[in-house]
Every structure is written in C-alpha cells, then in structure tokens.
Amino acid sequence: MSGQRGWPLWEVFVRARRGLSHQHVGSLHAPDAAMALRNARDVYTRRGEGVSIWVVPASAIAASSPDEKDAFFDPALDKAYRHPTFYDVPEGVSHL
Amino acid sequence: MYGNIDRIEPPDAPSDATSDAPADGDGGGMVAAARHAEFDRLIADDQRIEPRDWMPDGYRKTLIRQIAQHAHSEIIGMQPEGNWITRAPSLRRKAILIAKVQDEAGHGLYLYSAAETLGVDREDLLDQLHAGKQKYSSIFNYPTLSWADMGAIGWLVDGAAILNQVPLCRCSYGPYGRAMVRICKEESFHQRQGFEILHTLSRGTPAQHAMAQDAVNRFWWPSLMMFGPPDESSAHTVQSKAWGIKRFGNDELRQRFVDMCVDQARVLGLDLPDPDLRWNAERGHHDFGVIDWAELNRVIRGDGPCNADRMARRVGAHEDGAWVRDAADAYAAKHSRDTAAVA
C-alpha cells in the first residue's frame, strides 16, 4: 500500500453547459490528471451536471490571503465613480 | 443518510474557550482578539466562514468531528443496501439500488473533501474510522433482513436524514454547506424510491404486505433515534446553534419527522409501531411513545447487531483495494517519466 497516502489534491471545475464558464465544484485526490478527470466525472457529474471538466493541481493555485484582504481590496472601495449610480442623470433623459 | 450522531457523544473537553482566548501581554493578543471579533461578526451576520479564515479551535474541531462522522456514515451506509444489490427483485430495482449506493459513495467523497479544507487528511480520518476512534450513524448497525428493508431505509432513514441535512445547507461553514446542497439534491430520489418500494409491496400479496410492515416495524424506532438524544441531554446543541452549524434542535426535527410520516404511512397502508402515537390537537402535533435511549447507547457503544460486521467489511474493502491504488500509483509514476522524457 505504498502510495495511497499523499495523492495530490485536485480542484475540480465544471462547465454546466455551453455559454457558461467553468465553476469550482469541489476537490478530490488522484495519482495523476487522467485519473483525476475520470474520478471528477464520477463524483461530480453523475446526473449530467457538466459538459466539460477541468482538474487543476491544488498546489498550482495561488490565492490572496484572507489576512490582508482589507489592504488588498481597499483600492476598489473608494472609487464610487466607477459605478453608473455615481452620476446624476437629469429628469427626462432616457437610454443613458 | 445521516443522523445527529455527533450530539450523542460526551464533549471531548469541558470547553475550548481557553484555547480561543487571545494571548495576554504582547501585541499578538490584540491581533487574536481582532480575528475573533471578525469571526463573531461573520457568524452574527449569518455570513459564511471559508477555509482560510481564522476560526476558533473549538469551531474547527466540532466541524471536523461532525463532517468526518457524516462522511463515515455515507460510506458505511453503502453496506446495508449493497447487501441487496444481487437480490433485487427486478433489473429496474437493481439499477436503482446500484445508483443509490454509488450516490452514498459520492456523498462520502464530497464530505471528506469538505473536511480536508479544515486541515485534516482523508487518510487520517479513514484510519480513525477503522481504528474505531470516530463513529458513524448508529442506524447502519441494524441488519437488512428482507427486500422491504430497502424500502424502509429509503423512506424512513433517508427521510430522517433529509430533515437533518436540509438545515445543514445553511451551515456557517461554506464548504460543508455547499457539500450538503449537492447531497440534498440527490437524497430526494433516495427517499422516493424507498417509498415506492414500500407502496408496491404494501399493495401486493398478503405476504408482501407483511414484509413491508415488518420492515417498518424494525426501522421506525431506530429512525427516530437518528435525530439524537433529547435537547436537554444533548451535549453540543447549544454551542453548535450559536456557531450556526446547527439550525434546529433534535426534538423539533424529530417531531417534524413524526408528523410527516403519519400521513405518508396512511397512504402506504402501513402502521407505525407505536401504540402511543396520536394527534394532539392542543399542540398541533402528534404525540408519540418513549424512545429506548438505552438501546441507542448500546448500539453506539458497539453492541448493535452489526457493528463488528460493518467495520470488518469496511477494513476488508480498504485492504482489498490496495492493489488498485498501487496500480494507479505505478501508472502515474510511469506516465510522469514518459512525459518528462518527451519534455
């Protein structure tokens, strides 16, 4: 039972149907990408939930840290002028 | 399938409060206090906690224990029904039962995956199951003696599980809630196919009707026990509710289950084996008899009819599958060498 421990973790993304992007649905362990894809099909699409699957080694994902989330996302918070609701539209103007 | 099994165990420590307390003295205390305040704010706002967020040790431990036991229940739950796959009465029933048992395996995998986001390894959880250090739902320690038991399990056991599980879709821990959404979607087929089995048998020959009634007689009380002990003696309920892990008390869900089943039993033409079961107009609910908690505790302690059997089968399956895992490893190693050579 040499390698049963430490099979890499794969994050699974499924495209539910054409026109939609792949969405993260969960994760699984598998020794390689081919097995990860097969297992992802059996675990996450038993009822036709997808038309395409991506599996990505979890170790390949770089993520922002929850600890620095304020500092990291702050620059977006004080720029209300990026939203259309920031602007006054005079009465009677339509299609704007 | 799942019951409130974690509620039955005594709490492992009086309180985790001390370990969550911010350290005194240095600036680390301030940071810890701020993190705890942020956690409390998210819980109070009914927001979700996600894997990389700070969380109190007690919250993490409670979730690991609950999700692991839930996952174990799913995979041990494959056994009572797997027992009848080769003897299903028709090809249609066999195909349905295989799909259901496969779903249980899938539910186990969703849940192990959710547990792993809390920093534990699936292999370690399985080791603890195999060593008897983590539990699974006591309902699976009852034998499945007849085909009608497939009906009773679907109708009663999965029915009780659904009532427990639907509120877990709103669990404060994101990955657990998301796994539960997936599971609940799939469970409703399980309950309906069980109901259909019983309905068919109940309207069949007298012998088939008797078989259905016998199955309901045996599974009724254990199903009520799936909701866990009465709230006043439930070790974890208060804290789990405060943390948004649990939304309803054991007794409330049990009452809902009884009320639901009375009407459905009428449609099935089957009796629920409780002489004290009657409508109470004042309460607007059905009264029901006293549950034999001594039996539940016996089964949890390991003296149920099938405890040893289930564990032996589980460990055996794990060991028998070793060559498959080894082969997959060998293939992956060879394949990665090939890929490296090409590159």
Short mmCIF file of all heavy atoms in Angstrom, two decimals, chain B residues 24 110 165 192 211 229 322 342:
data_model
loop_
_atom_site.label_atom_id
_atom_site.label_comp_id
_atom_site.label_asym_id
_atom_site.label_seq_id
_atom_site.Cartn_x
_atom_site.Cartn_y
_atom_site.Cartn_z
N ASP B 24 -2.19 36.95 26.31
CA ASP B 24 -2.03 38.19 27.07
C ASP B 24 -0.65 38.80 26.81
O ASP B 24 0.26 38.15 26.35
CB ASP B 24 -2.18 37.91 28.57
CG ASP B 24 -3.64 37.69 28.92
OD1 ASP B 24 -4.50 38.36 28.30
OD2 ASP B 24 -3.91 36.85 29.77
N TYR B 110 -17.73 13.93 -1.22
CA TYR B 110 -17.97 15.38 -1.06
C TYR B 110 -17.58 15.80 0.36
O TYR B 110 -17.01 16.86 0.58
CB TYR B 110 -19.45 15.76 -1.21
CG TYR B 110 -20.16 15.39 -2.48
CD1 TYR B 110 -21.54 15.18 -2.49
CD2 TYR B 110 -19.49 15.29 -3.69
CE1 TYR B 110 -22.23 14.85 -3.64
CE2 TYR B 110 -20.17 14.96 -4.85
CZ TYR B 110 -21.54 14.74 -4.82
OH TYR B 110 -22.22 14.41 -5.94
N GLN B 165 -30.45 17.14 7.21
CA GLN B 165 -29.46 17.68 6.28
C GLN B 165 -29.87 19.00 5.63
O GLN B 165 -29.00 19.82 5.34
CB GLN B 165 -29.18 16.64 5.18
CG GLN B 165 -28.36 15.48 5.72
CD GLN B 165 -28.22 14.36 4.71
OE1 GLN B 165 -29.03 14.23 3.80
NE2 GLN B 165 -27.20 13.56 4.86
N ARG B 192 -37.73 8.84 -2.30
CA ARG B 192 -38.87 8.45 -3.15
C ARG B 192 -38.80 7.01 -3.60
O ARG B 192 -39.82 6.32 -3.66
CB ARG B 192 -38.93 9.35 -4.38
CG ARG B 192 -39.52 10.69 -4.06
CD ARG B 192 -39.81 11.45 -5.31
NE ARG B 192 -40.24 12.80 -4.96
CZ ARG B 192 -40.78 13.64 -5.81
NH1 ARG B 192 -40.94 13.28 -7.07
NH2 ARG B 192 -41.14 14.83 -5.42
N MET B 211 -44.31 -8.26 4.73
CA MET B 211 -42.87 -7.99 4.67
C MET B 211 -42.61 -6.49 4.81
O MET B 211 -41.70 -6.06 5.55
CB MET B 211 -42.32 -8.49 3.32
CG MET B 211 -40.82 -8.49 3.23
SD MET B 211 -40.24 -8.53 1.51
CE MET B 211 -40.53 -10.22 1.09
N PRO B 229 -30.24 12.50 20.94
CA PRO B 229 -30.94 12.49 22.23
C PRO B 229 -31.78 13.76 22.40
O PRO B 229 -31.62 14.71 21.65
CB PRO B 229 -29.79 12.46 23.25
CG PRO B 229 -28.63 13.04 22.53
CD PRO B 229 -28.80 12.68 21.09
N ALA B 322 -6.13 -2.24 -2.05
CA ALA B 322 -4.75 -1.72 -2.04
C ALA B 322 -4.09 -1.88 -3.40
O ALA B 322 -3.39 -0.99 -3.87
CB ALA B 322 -3.94 -2.43 -0.95
N VAL B 342 9.67 13.14 -22.84
CA VAL B 342 9.25 13.89 -24.02
C VAL B 342 9.66 15.37 -23.87
O VAL B 342 10.17 15.99 -24.80
CB VAL B 342 7.72 13.79 -24.21
CG1 VAL B 342 7.25 14.76 -25.29
CG2 VAL B 342 7.36 12.36 -24.59
#
